[in-house]
Amino acid sequence: MDFCLSPKHAARQIEFREFADRELQPAGHTFPRDNLRKMAGRGYMGLPVPREWGGQGEDFFTYILLIEEISRICASTGVILAVHTSVGTFPLLYYGTQAQKERYLPGLARGELLGAFALSEAGAGSDAAALRTSARRIEEGYCINGGKVFITSGGEADLYTVFATLDQSLGSRGICAFLIEKGTPGLTVAPPEKKMGLHGSATTELQFTDLVVGADQLLGEEGKGFALAMSLLDGGRIGIAAQGLGLARASLEATAAYLASRLEKGDQVSQWARFTLADLFSRLEAARLLTYRAALLKEKGQPCSREAAMAKCFATDLAVEAAIRCIDLWPPDEYEGEYPLFRYFCDAKVTQIYEGTNQIQRLVISRDVLKTFHK
Ligand code: CAA
C-alpha cells in the first residue's frame, strides 16, 4: 500500500496546476470557451480516452487530478469538463457500437465536440427511474417526446446522452439511452437558468417534440438505459468529488495565505483561526484519500458505488463548509466587491446537489452498508 502519488502522477499534477494557474481565468457569467479551447489544445478534453480514439490514453486517476486543479481556478470549467468526460464521452467509450464510436468519440476526445447528459426531469430528479420522457418505436427508429431540466452545457453541447422510457410501467427496466445531436429537429433548448453560482456553466431545460432518431442512435440495449446511467454516475460522482477538492482548496489556500501574510506583518492570528485551519486542512486530506481510493477502484474496474458516493458526499460537504468557515477568518471589509470566498461558496453549494444530491449519496452508502450486514 502506498499513499503517495507515483512519480508520473505527481508530475502530471504539477503540470495541471501550473497550466490552470497560468492559462485559465475564472469564467464570470460567460460560457468559458476560451478555457475549453486551451484545455483541448493540451488534450485535456479527452485525457482518459484511449489514443486510438483521439484521446491521451491516461488513466482515470490522472483525469481526477486534472478536475481538481481546473476546479481550484474555475469550478464552472471544472463541471463542464467533468460532465463532458464522465457522462458525455464515457457513454460512447463503454457502451457505443463501433459505428457510434467512429462517429463521435474522436471529436469528443479532441474537444471539437462537447458532450452532455440528460437524465433529470421536473418530476424525476432524485427518483431518476420515474422519468416520463417517452420513446416510441417507429419505422425510422424512435420518436421521443418529453422534457429535461438542469442540463449542464445545455445549448452549448454538441451531443446529448438522453434517457427516455419505452414503457413507464416497466419502471427502470423500460428506460433506454439515446444519442441526440444538437440541432436535431424537435429539440429545443431553453435559455440558461439564473443560478446562485457556477455562472459560467450553462444549465438549461431541453424539450423533445416528436423528435425522430434512427435506431443506430440507441446507446446500449433497450431497457438497459437506467443501469447504464447509474454506472456512469458512479464515475461521474468521483469527478464531482474532485471538483469539491478543488473548491475546498481554493478557500483554504486563499485563507492560509492571507493569515500567513498577517503574521509576516507582525499581526496576531488567533488560536480559533489556527484551529479552524487545522480542522479543515485535516478534512481536506481525508476527502482526498476517499476520492483517490474511489478513483483507483474505478480504474481497476472494481465496484465503487459506495466509495464514489462517500467521496462525493464528503468532499462536496467540505467544499461548502470550508468556504463558510473561511469567510469568518477574513476582515469585514473583505465582504465588499469581488470577494473570492463568496464565489467559492456560491460555486460549491450546487456540488452537494448535482450528480445525485448528498442525501441520495447517503442512501447509496447506507443501502450498501445494510446489504453487507444483512444475514
Ligand atoms: N451500476 C449499475 N447498475 C445499477 C447501479 C450502478 N451503480 N445502481 C443501480 N443499478 C441497477 C440495479 O442493479 C437495478 O437493476 P435491475 O433492475 O436489473 O435489478 C436497477 O439499476 C434499478 O436499481 P435500484 O432499484 O437501486 O434503483 P432505484 O430506483 O431505487 O434508484 C437511486 C436508485 C440511487 C436513488 C437512483 O435513482 C439515483 O442515483 N438517483 C439520483 C439521480 C442522479 O444522480 N441524477 C444526476 C443527474 S446528472 C447530473 O447531475 C450531471 C450534471 O449536470 C452535473
Side-chain angles (χ1 to χ4, degrees):
M1 187 179 279
D2 189 347
F3 287 103
C4 297
L5 293 186
S6 69
K8 180 171 166 273
H9 284 134
R12 296 245 46 192
Q13 186 183 51
I14 292 168
E15 173 201 318
F16 300 150
R17 190 167 300 167
E18 289 178 352
F19 165 80
D21 278 335
R22 202 178 47 242
E23 304 280 344
L24 298 188
Q25 293 294 329
H29 280 73
T30 42
F31 193 77
R33 282 278 165 203
D34 210 35
N35 286 348
L36 298 178
R37 190 182 45 73
K38 287 175 180 165
M39 296 198 303
R42 297 287 197 114
Y44 295 167
M45 299 302 284
L47 198 71
V49 176
R51 286 186 177 274
E52 64 184 292
W53 293 112
Q56 297 296 303
E58 290 288 1
D59 54 20
F60 184 79
F61 191 85
T62 308
Y63 155 73
I64 288 302
L65 297 176
L66 174 67
I67 294 284
E68 178 182 338
E69 297 305 328
I70 301 293
S71 302
R72 186 176 67 94
I73 300 298
C74 178
S76 291
T77 306
V79 73
I80 295 165
L81 174 65
V83 167
H84 165 79
T85 310
S86 298
V87 291
T89 303
F90 285 170
L92 278 144
L93 186 62
Y94 298 159
Y95 303 103
T97 61
Q98 182 72 13
Q100 288 170 339
K101 286 180 178 165
E102 282 170 8
R103 186 157 182 198
Y104 298 117
L105 253 186
L108 289 165
R110 288 197 289 262
E112 294 154 5
L113 300 177
L114 190 65
F117 186 77
L119 177 67
S120 301
E121 298 184 4
S126 285
D127 185 7
L131 66 83
R132 299 173 73 90
T133 294
S134 67
R136 187 165 46 85
R137 289 187 202 94
I138 55 171
E139 204 177 317
E140 304 93 306
Y142 299 89
C143 177
I144 298 181
N145 279 285
K148 300 286 176 182
V149 295
F150 303 133
I151 303 309
T152 298
S153 299
E156 302 288 344
D158 301 282
L159 186 68
Y160 299 89
T161 301
V162 176
F163 297 86
T165 178
L166 274 177
D167 180 350
Q168 233 203 327
S169 70
L170 296 176
S172 64
R173 294 185 181 184
I175 295 173
C176 309
F178 296 96
L179 298 167
I180 297 184
E181 292 179 19
K182 180 182 197 165
T184 304
L187 169 62
T188 35
V189 183
E193 305 283 356
K194 289 193 172 52
K195 305 188 304 254
M196 168 181 173
L198 293 185
H199 297 301
S201 142
T203 307
T204 70
E205 294 186 9
L206 303 180
Q207 199 64 39
F208 311 101
T209 311
D210 293 333
L211 182 148
V212 174
V213 281
D216 59 348
Q217 297 298 91
L218 174 74
L219 185 69
E221 291 172 43
E222 279 188 355
K224 296 281 171 65
F226 188 76
L228 182 153
M230 291 298 115
S231 76
L232 288 166
L233 283 170
D234 284 342
R237 288 166 184 167
I238 307 171
I240 302 305
Q243 192 195 18
L245 292 181
L247 274 160
R249 270 181 55 213
S251 292
L252 284 169
E253 290 174 3
T255 305
Y258 162 68
L259 294 175
S261 76
R262 283 191 31 198
L263 283 179
E264 277 162 30
K265 287 187 210 146
D267 292 344
Q268 294 293 315
V269 170
S270 68
Q271 192 177 60
W272 170 66
R274 291 166 190 260
F275 283 12
T276 301
L277 276 190
D279 284 350
L280 292 172
F281 269 94
S282 304
R283 286 178 49 200
L284 177 64
E285 285 306 315
R288 189 174 276 131
L289 288 175
L290 281 174
T291 306
Y292 288 1
R293 176 158 183 270
L296 287 172
L297 287 174
K298 173 161 165 48
E299 182 66 46
K300 290 180 177 172
Q302 293 180 13
C304 63
S305 303
R306 185 207 293 211
E307 291 76 8
M310 285 177 168
K312 194 269 185 187
C313 203
F314 195 88
T316 60
D317 281 352
L318 176 66
V320 172
E321 194 186 335
I324 292 173
R325 290 181 66 188
C326 285
I327 286 171
D328 289 342
L329 304 185
W330 290 66
D333 54 357
E334 292 288 345
Y335 290 90
E336 294 158 13
E338 290 292 303
Y339 179 45
L341 270 278
F342 280 174
R343 176 162 62 84
Y344 302 148
F345 170 68
C346 291
D347 285 354
K349 183 59 204 164
V350 74
T351 66
Q352 292 177 307
I353 299 169
Y354 57 35
E355 300 239 3
T357 64
N358 283 3
Q359 290 81 359
I360 287 295
Q361 307 311 319
R362 289 179 171 93
L363 187 86
V364 170
I365 297 162
S366 58
R367 269 188 186 181
D368 196 60
V369 168
L370 292 174
K371 204 164 64 185
T372 315
F373 283 89
H374 186 71
K375 300 280 178 236

